C-alpha cells in the first residue's frame, strides 16, 4: 500500500521533518493515514512523536499545549492546527499491580475506565493503545513507509472495524469507542468484526459513565460526518440510541422501527457495496432502499455468509419516513459544505416528529411555542445540549412555520430575514421542503433575503419596520434643568 506524497499536507510534513531533524521519532498517524490509503481526502493531519509536549513547544514557537486528561501540542499555521501527541502506553499497564482493593474484582472492573492518559511510551506501545486497527497505522514521509504494528493494513483492505486487543476490555476502558466504531462503520461503509460487535452490545450501558460533553461531541460527529442516516440505523440496531436518548428511541420505535437485536455476533463476510454504502443514496427513497440496515446483522447474511432477503421495517408511517429522509438530505448538505451548525443538526433530528405540531392550524404563535418546548425539552436535556444551541434550535424550528408562508412582498426585508438565526432556519427549511415534496420556489423566495456577508445582524429585539444597518432614533426624554450656579443673580 502506497501513499502519494503530493496528497500530504505541507505543514504536517514540516512538523514531522523538524522533529526528526531535532533527533526525535515522528510519524503521521491515525485517521489521515487511514484516509490516504483509502484514497480519501483527510479532514486533518495528526502527528505522533517521541518528543514530550514541552519539547514540541520548544521546537515550534507557534505551539500551544492543551488538555489535562490527554496533554497535546497544537502547532498553528494560520487557522490550521497540526495536532501533535507524544507516544503513549496504556495507563492500566503501569498500575496493573495492586489495582484490586478491598472490593477485589469490582474495583478492578471500575479501574478499566481510563480517566487520565499521560503515560508516555514507544511507538509500538502507542499503536497498541489506540482504539481500532485501522487507526493504528503510522506513516513516515521521509522514507514513504507505512508502519503497521497492529494488522491495520489487512483490516483496511478487508473493510473491517476491529479493536486492538480484547474488545471487552478496550470498549470498557473508553465506552466512547462504541460511538466511534459506529461512526467509522457508517462513514466508511465497513463491517464491524463479530467479536467487536458483540462487545459493543455488551458494553453499551457503560457509555453514560463518560463525560457528557464528550458524548455530545461524538453524537454531533456522527450526524455531521456525511453518514447521519447510516449512523442512526446503527445506533438503533445496537441499542445505543436507547441508552443515549431513550425518548428519541421510543419515538422511532413507536413509529415502526424494530427494537435492537439481542447481543449475538455478526457474520464476518462483508456485505456487497450497495449495502455497505447506504449513505451514498439521497432523497426520500433512500430511507426505503437502505431499510435492511435496521435488521439484525447490518447487511442481513444467512448462516452460509450469503446475502439474505433484506429486512424491511414498517416505514410507511410519516415520522419514520421523514426522519431517515431528512438525515439523508442532511448528509447531502454536509457533502456540499460548509458543515451545518449544531442547531441545524438538532433541528434535522427533531423536526420529523414535530411537523404536525408546527403545521397545526388554529394555534397562536405562543401556543405553538409552548407545545414545541414541551416536546423537545426532554431530548435536549438528555443530550446535555448547551443553552445556546437549545435556544437556537427552538427558534429555527418555530421559524419553519413562518417560512412555509409566502414572504410578504414589500420593499424592506422581512423581519424574520433579519433575525440572527435566519440562515440556520433557511438551511433546515431547504431540507424540509424536499422531504415534504414542496417546490423549491418556496426556498428561493426567502434565499434572496439572506443578508450580505459582513452585514450587521438583527437580534430578536429589533424594530420590525427598521431597515437593516440603520440605527433607531431614540425618543428624546424630558430635559433636566441645570442647577443655578451659586451667586448667580435670580431672574425676574
Amino acid at each position: 500500500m502506497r501513499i502519494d506524497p503530493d496528497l500530504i499536507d505541507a505543514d504536517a510534513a514540516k512538523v514531522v521533518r523538524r522533529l526528526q531533524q531535532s533527533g526525535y521519532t515522528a510519524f503521521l498517524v491515525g485517521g489521515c493515514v487511514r484516509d490516504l490509503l483509502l484514497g480519501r481526502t483527510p479532514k486533518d493531519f495528526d502527528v505522533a512523536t517521541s518528543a514530550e509536549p514541552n519539547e514540541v513547544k520548544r521546537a515550534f514557537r507557534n505551539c500551544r499545549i492543551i488538555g489535562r486528561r490527554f496533554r497535546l501540542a497544537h502547532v498553528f499555521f494560520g487557522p490550521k492546527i497540526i495536532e501533535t501527541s507524544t507516544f503513549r502506553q496504556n495507563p492500566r499497564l503501569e498500575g496493573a499491580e495492586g489495582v484490586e482493593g478491598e472490593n477485589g474484582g469490582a474495583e478492578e472492573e471500575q479501574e478499566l475506565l481510563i480517566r487520565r492518559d499521560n503515560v508516555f511510551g514507544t511507538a509500538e506501545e502507542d499503536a497498541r493503545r489506540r482504539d481500532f486497527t485501522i487507526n493504528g497505522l503510522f506513516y513516515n514521509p521521509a522514507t514513504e513507509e507505512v508502519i503497521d504494528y497492529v494488522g491495520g493494513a489487512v483490516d483496511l483492505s478487508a473493510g473491517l472495524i476491529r479493536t486492538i486487543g480484547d474488545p471487552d476490555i478496550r470498549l470498557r476502558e473508553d465506552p466512547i469507542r462504541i460511538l466511534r466504531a459506529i461512526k467509522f462503520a457508517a462513514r466508511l461503509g465497513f463491517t464491524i468484526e463479530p467479536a467487536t460487535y458483540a462487545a459493543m452490545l455488551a458494553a453499551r450501558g457503560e457509555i453514560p459513565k463518560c463525560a457528557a460533553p464528550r458524548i455530545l461531541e461524538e453524537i454531533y460527529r456522527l450526524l455531521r460526518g456525511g453518514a447521519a442516516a447510516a449512523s442512526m440505523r446503527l445506533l438503533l440496531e445496537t441499542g445505543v440510541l436507547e441508552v443515549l436518548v431513550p425518548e428519541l428511541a421510543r419515538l422511532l420505535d413507536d413509529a415502526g422501527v424494530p427494537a435492537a437485536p439481542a447481543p449475538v455476533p455478526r457474520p464476518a463476510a462483508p456485505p456487497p457495496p450497495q449495502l455497505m454504502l447506504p449513505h451514498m443514496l439521497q432523497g426520500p427513497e433512500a430511507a426505503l432502499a437502505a431499510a435492511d440496515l435496521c435488521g439484525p446483522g447490518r447487511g442481513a447474511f444467512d448462516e452460509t455468509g450469503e446475502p439474505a432477503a433484506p429486512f424491511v421495517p414498517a416505514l410507511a408511517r410519516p415520522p419514520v419516513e421523514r426522519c431517515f429522509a431528512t438525515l439523508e438530505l442532511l448528509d447531502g448538505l454536509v457533502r456540499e459544505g460548509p458543515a451545518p451548525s449544531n442547531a441545524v443538526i438538532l433541528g434535522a433530528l427533531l423536526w420529523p416528529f414535530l411537523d404536525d405540531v408546527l403545521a397545526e392550524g388554529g394555534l397562536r404563535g405562543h401556543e405553538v411555542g409552548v407545545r414545541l418546548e414541551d416536546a423537545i425539552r426532554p431530548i435536549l436535556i438528555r443530550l446535555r445540549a448547551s443553552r445556546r444551541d437549545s435556544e437556537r434550535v427552538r427558534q429555527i424550528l418555530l421559524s419553519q412555520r413562518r417560512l412555509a408562508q409566502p414572504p410578504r412582498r414589500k420593499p424592506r426585508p422581512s423581519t424574520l430575514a433579519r433575525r440572527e438565526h435566519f440562515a440556520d432556519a433557511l438551511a433546515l427549511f431547504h431540507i424540509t421542503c424536499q422531504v415534504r415534496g414542496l417546490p423549491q420556489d418556496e426556498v428561493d423566495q426567502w434565499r434572496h433575503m439572506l443578508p450580505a456577508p459582513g452585514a450587521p445582524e438583527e437580534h430578536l429585539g429589533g424594530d420590525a419596520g427598521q431597515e437593516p444597518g440603520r440605527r433607531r432614533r431614540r425618543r428624546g426624554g424630558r430635559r433636566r434643568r441645570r442647577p443655578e450656579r451659586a451667586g448667580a443673580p435670580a431672574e425676574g
Side-chain angles (χ1 to χ4, degrees):
M1 305 178 75
R2 184 180 178 276
I3 292 177
D4 184 357
D6 295 335
L7 299 178
I8 298 174
D9 182 84
D11 294 324
K14 178 180 179 180
V15 171
V16 173
R17 184 169 57 251
R18 182 176 296 182
L19 288 172
Q20 290 176 344
Q21 291 172 350
S22 300
Y24 302 107
T25 303
F27 305 122
L28 295 178
V29 66
C32 64
V33 180
R34 177 197 68 225
D35 290 342
L36 288 170
L37 290 172
L38 290 174
R40 301 164 64 98
T41 301
K43 180 182 64 176
D44 48 35
F45 285 80
D46 297 333
V47 174
T49 178
S50 60
E52 296 188 6
N54 289 329
E55 295 171 331
V56 176
K57 188 173 183 179
R58 283 196 294 269
F60 296 92
R61 291 181 298 175
N62 51 327
C63 176
R64 184 173 63 191
I65 298 175
I66 67 164
R68 181 170 51 184
R69 175 184 178 272
F70 191 93
R71 294 182 71 226
L72 296 169
H74 279 179
V75 184
F76 292 84
F77 295 90
K80 185 196 308 178
I81 297 175
I82 305 299
E83 191 173 272
T84 306
S85 62
T86 305
F87 294 142
R88 284 166 167 79
Q89 61 173 295
N90 192 322
R92 288 195 316 108
L93 299 179
E94 182 189 46
E97 296 182 2
V99 169
E100 286 192 19
E102 297 178 359
N103 297 329
E107 185 171 342
E108 181 181 12
E109 181 173 333
Q110 186 171 351
E111 285 296 326
L112 289 176
L113 185 64
I114 296 176
R115 302 188 185 277
R116 301 183 69 87
D117 194 1
N118 288 310
V119 182
F120 300 138
T122 65
E124 182 174 357
E125 289 171 335
D126 187 79
R128 296 192 180 281
R129 59 161 285 281
R130 293 179 179 269
D131 49 9
F132 304 107
T133 57
I134 61 172
N135 294 333
L137 298 170
F138 295 120
Y139 180 72
N140 187 348
T143 61
E144 300 186 7
E145 177 188 7
V146 176
I147 303 167
D148 183 5
Y149 294 109
V150 294
V154 175
D155 287 341
L156 200 63
S157 300
L160 285 177
I161 306 295
R162 184 197 309 271
T163 58
I164 299 173
D166 186 340
D168 291 312
I169 294 177
R170 301 313 305 278
L171 296 182
R172 283 160 55 204
E173 283 178 349
D174 186 1
I176 291 294
R177 290 168 179 164
I178 297 173
L179 297 179
R180 287 172 58 80
I182 291 173
K183 176 179 67 177
F184 295 134
R187 189 180 299 178
L188 303 176
F190 281 18
T191 301
I192 302 175
E193 181 261 339
T196 300
Y197 184 78
M200 288 170 57
L201 298 182
R204 61 194 174 199
E206 305 286 317
I207 298 177
K209 292 182 178 180
C210 301
R214 290 188 67 211
I215 297 174
L216 180 60
E217 182 57 32
E218 203 61 46
I219 292 174
Y220 283 145
R221 289 176 181 175
L222 282 171
L223 301 177
R224 191 186 281 119
S231 297
M232 181 59 66
R233 295 182 186 282
L234 279 173
L235 288 171
L236 284 167
E237 176 195 322
T238 57
V240 171
L241 188 65
E242 176 65 31
V243 173
L244 295 178
V245 196
E247 296 83 1
L248 183 59
R250 283 194 289 271
L251 285 174
L252 288 167
D253 185 53
D254 293 343
V257 175
V264 295
R266 291 168 34 155
Q274 62 269 25
L275 297 181
M276 287 174 61
L277 300 173
H279 56 281
M280 300 299 291
L281 304 174
Q282 296 186 18
E285 66 278 2
L288 297 174
D292 60 293
L293 294 184
C294 286
R298 192 176 73 89
F301 289 84
D302 58 23
E303 294 80 1
T304 64
E306 295 297 324
F311 178 87
V312 181
L315 289 180
R317 299 185 184 181
V320 170
E321 184 175 344
R322 286 200 299 259
C323 176
F324 287 102
T326 300
L327 294 178
E328 289 286 350
L329 291 167
L330 178 65
D331 293 339
L333 186 68
V334 169
R335 287 191 287 268
E336 294 172 3
S341 68
N342 292 343
V344 173
I345 290 174
L346 292 174
L349 189 64
L350 297 172
W351 169 82
F353 309 99
L354 304 169
D355 190 43
D356 295 337
V357 175
L358 297 173
E360 185 174 342
L363 293 179
R364 296 183 178 181
H366 74 278
E367 294 173 329
V368 175
V370 170
R371 292 188 59 182
L372 178 70
E373 181 72 17
D374 290 342
I376 68 177
R377 185 191 298 116
I379 295 178
L380 294 177
I381 290 176
R382 181 77 65 176
L383 287 170
R384 306 286 184 90
S386 69
R387 183 179 300 179
R388 181 181 185 278
D389 288 339
S390 298
E391 176 60 23
R392 178 64 66 90
V393 72
R394 187 187 69 84
Q395 291 172 349
I396 68 174
L397 286 170
L398 280 174
S399 299
Q400 302 307 301
R401 184 180 174 93
R402 175 68 184 91
L403 288 168
Q405 303 171 5
R408 299 171 183 172
R409 299 187 178 278
K410 56 182 182 179
R412 294 173 180 171
S414 165
T415 304
L416 177 60
R418 291 186 281 113
R419 295 292 188 251
E420 188 180 19
H421 63 273
F422 177 65
D424 282 349
L426 189 58
L428 181 60
F429 185 61
H430 177 60
I431 292 176
T432 61
C433 281
Q434 296 180 70
V435 174
R436 292 182 294 177
L438 298 179
Q440 289 301 302
D441 295 344
E442 298 273 350
V443 181
D444 295 336
Q445 286 179 324
W446 287 102
R447 184 169 285 146
H448 78 278
M449 293 185 179
L450 279 170
E457 290 183 336
E458 285 285 336
H459 295 264
L460 294 176
D463 186 359
Q466 178 184 352
E467 294 184 12
R470 179 177 297 179
R471 296 186 62 182
R472 180 181 177 183
R473 291 184 58 186
R474 292 188 177 181
R475 182 176 297 175
R478 185 176 179 180
R479 295 185 61 186
R480 298 177 58 186
R481 295 181 61 183
R482 294 183 179 180
E484 294 182 358
R485 289 178 297 177
E491 294 183 357

